[in-house]
Amino acid sequence: MSEFLVFEKVTKRYGDFYAVRDVSFEVRQGEIFALLGPSGCGKTTLLRMLAGFIEPDEGRILVDGQDVTGLPPEKRPVNTVFQSYALFPHLSIRDNIGFGLKMAKKPKAEIAREVDKMLDLVDLTEHGDKKPDQISGGQKQRVAIARALVNKPRVLLLDEPLAALDLKLRQRLLVELDEIHDEVGITFLY
Ligand code: ADP
Ligand code: MG
């Protein structure tokens, strides 16, 4: 079986310093794949190269057989959930989640429908009209996940998405993340 996500001999240098050196790995479609390693070992750099925020100096990255190296971020079938939620403080939860669809000029009715689905998925239906400062840290992180998933990426990138939360909440959200993964069935790179 051909692998869905392929990192092929990927290297990223800053001057003489190797942030990532000759890294190859493959992930199957629908898998949750976790990159583990000490701080500074290159995890974020790998995710950023897949998202298109930075380009590798050597090697290739393929998604479903397509070489994505060189494509601008918005042309890549991936979306990122950051540790620092990065929600828009002046927008409601609904508008935060629908933001990408609005930018893509989707019809209002479709946006409303997709946002409803996402609110249900992350269990925030009752909180849609609140602003980010009116919900908890765990809820904010679920908004960030919903906002990334609403654009229907083929791969969801999660860069230490739970690091800002306390241990108990982290454990609970990890279980929820697993349930969300089962429901949406796309590939998660964590
Ligand atoms: P991780 O996410 O595993 O903690 P990173 O991918 O953020 O690690 O960083 C890998 C290495 O690359 C680190 O040593 C970091 O300091 C270095 N690095 C990351 N970005 C830059 C940059 N823009 N300029 C110089 N060095 C960088
Ligand atoms: Mg990192």
Side-chain angles (χ1 to χ4, degrees), residues 14 17 19 37-46 159-160:
Y14 292 103
F17 178 79
S39 179
C41 77
K43 305 177 297 291
T44 294
T45 304
L46 285 168
D159 192 1
E160 304 200 38

Side-chain angles (χ1 to χ4, degrees), residues 45-159:
T45 304
L46 285 168
L47 295 186
R48 289 172 64 82
M49 286 191 283
L50 173 54
F53 302 133
I54 50 176
E55 289 293 338
D57 295 306
E58 285 161 47
R60 303 195 301 165
I61 301 170
L62 298 117
V63 180
D64 202 12
Q66 188 199 9
D67 185 350
V68 297
T69 30
L71 284 182
E74 68 275 11
K75 293 268 163 61
R76 301 188 186 206
V78 309
N79 240 309
T80 307
V81 177
F82 299 97
Q83 179 181 322
S84 58
Y85 326 118
L87 302 181
F88 302 113
H90 57 293
L91 294 183
S92 70
I93 301 312
R94 292 194 68 87
D95 290 344
N96 263 283
I97 295 174
F99 189 79
L101 298 177
K102 193 169 172 209
M103 286 297 106
K105 300 211 159 49
K106 301 284 184 201
K108 272 196 175 138
E110 182 187 331
I111 297 177
R113 200 170 56 239
E114 293 301 322
V115 170
D116 280 340
K117 266 197 243 167
M118 285 299 133
L119 284 169
D120 183 50
L121 179 73
V122 297
D123 212 12
L124 287 175
T125 299
E126 288 144 60
H127 304 280
D129 296 324
K130 291 185 179 170
K131 297 275 171 63
D133 66 1
Q134 295 172 311
I135 60 174
S136 71
Q139 290 172 328
K140 281 190 199 123
Q141 195 48 285
R142 302 215 297 267
V143 176
I145 291 165
R147 192 179 56 178
L149 286 173
V150 80
N151 302 307
K152 298 197 167 52
R154 310 279 314 271
V155 186
L156 186 68
L157 309 183
L158 300 132
D159 192 1

